[in-house]
Amino acid sequence: MKGVSRGLLLTLLLTTLAGALGALCTVHYLQSKRTPPSLHEFVHKEMRLTDAQEAQLDRLEQDFAVRRKVREAELRAANAELAAAIQARHEYSPEVKASVERFHHAMGELQKETIVHVLAMRRVLTPQQAEKFDARVAEALTEPAP
């Protein structure tokens, strides 16, 4: 009976160690693959904002959310128009070209709105916070695609 108990104990110990090692390796792997936080998460979770800054940023974000929804609706409408134009003639027709241009225009306007919003957020920050913010924005704009 003692032989069985020692064997069972050794098996349990080795199984526990193997499981712990596997969990540790998994956590290390997942952390190495983790994407940086979004700009929103970075600003609200990693910067020490005052209550006044939080309030100003909340107003900016509410305003931007409305403008972003309008631009996203324009993108969806342009895509629907493009789908209809392609279905109508199954060629790169003037209607398809116009739909593509409409989509590109809407996408450009959304990008402009986003940049204006990011710069408005920056104006709320202290110089020290703005320096960190600028580094994160540059990182976000230059990080490779997943």
Side-chain angles (χ1 to χ4, degrees), residues 24-36:
L24 184 63
C25 289
T26 300
V27 167
H28 179 70
Y29 174 77
L30 291 176
Q31 284 180 343
S32 71
K33 296 293 181 190
R34 199 183 91 180
T35 58

Side-chain angles (χ1 to χ4, degrees), residues 63-77:
D63 182 51
F64 177 63
V66 171
R67 292 191 323 271
R68 186 183 69 233
K69 285 182 192 231
V70 168
R71 297 299 181 191
E72 288 171 347
E74 290 173 1
L75 288 170
R76 286 189 301 278

